[in-house]
Amino acid sequence: PAIDALGLPYIPSTTLKGIARVIAEREVNNNKSPTTPELVRDIFGEIEPTACMGKVIFLDAYPLPFPQPNDESADERIGLVPDMANSIWTWDGNTPKYKTNPNIFLSLRKPTFVIGLRLANGADDALLKHVKRWLFTGLAQGIGSRVNSGYGVLTVKPKEGEEKPN
């Protein structure tokens, strides 16, 4: 996640909107959905800043500060925790040399993010179902540059009484 002006980690709304849009466009391109390119443009708006705004407004996603009730990780250290990357090889000309170089950084461990979506005036509630499905599909595939290292993959936990999107 990015870090906001107060030092809090968050997922920018532009990232969330981009993920959902990419998944929607993939479905359109693969003919896996009755969605049309025009509907995708109407839902997400134009990419150019002078063009129209979309019908769904994405809000920044922030992690909740504490373990949630009935959370299986309630006894673990979660939230902002120290992590380490260790580049152990340096080069001296054409010869590799072994030398530890630990790099400590802050990472999020098993956070629960609150993601806000809002309909623009006059938008149909049915659009949210599609947008949620696209967004959750994209988040389950992972976001960020370190997905292959085990970072940035999200698990969808629906609210109580809601079904998990397919």
Side-chain angles (χ1 to χ4, degrees):
I3 304 294
D4 71 4
L6 299 175
L8 297 172
Y10 75 107
I11 302 172
S13 59
T14 52
T15 299
L16 298 171
K17 186 175 184 177
I19 292 166
R21 184 182 196 119
V22 163
I23 298 299
E25 289 173 347
R26 282 183 190 167
E27 282 188 9
V28 169
N29 292 337
N30 294 334
N31 297 322
K32 290 185 176 181
S33 171
T35 305
T36 64
E38 293 77 24
L39 181 59
V40 171
R41 187 177 57 248
D42 287 345
I43 292 172
F44 296 103
E46 295 286 341
I47 294 175
E48 293 81 25
T50 58
C52 69
M53 186 175 90
K55 292 183 179 180
V56 177
I57 300 167
F58 288 75
L59 305 174
D60 293 335
Y62 281 89
L64 293 175
F66 304 107
Q68 299 307 299
N70 303 323
D71 189 348
E72 67 275 356
S73 63
D75 294 332
E76 290 183 47
R77 287 181 28 183
I78 65 169
L80 279 176
V81 294
D83 204 343
M84 182 188 74
N86 192 4
S87 54
I88 59 173
W89 298 103
T90 59
W91 290 89
D92 183 14
N94 289 333
T95 308
K97 291 193 173 190
Y98 178 79
K99 178 183 176 188
T100 60
N101 185 19
N103 179 18
I104 307 296
F105 60 94
L106 288 176
S107 178
L108 282 172
R109 181 177 292 155
K110 296 187 179 182
T112 300
F113 279 90
V114 176
I115 299 173
L117 299 174
R118 182 171 179 261
L119 289 172
N121 290 337
D124 182 12
D125 286 343
L127 292 178
L128 277 182
K129 183 177 179 182
H130 294 296
V131 171
K132 283 181 184 180
R133 182 174 53 82
W134 294 326
L135 178 60
F136 293 154
T137 299
L139 290 174
Q141 292 176 10
I143 58 173
S145 63
R146 300 190 64 207
V147 173
N148 291 338
S149 301
Y151 294 88
V153 177
L154 282 77
T155 304
V156 177
K157 291 183 181 178
K159 288 182 186 177
E160 204 170 299
E162 278 188 355
E163 287 185 30
K164 187 174 180 178
N166 323 10

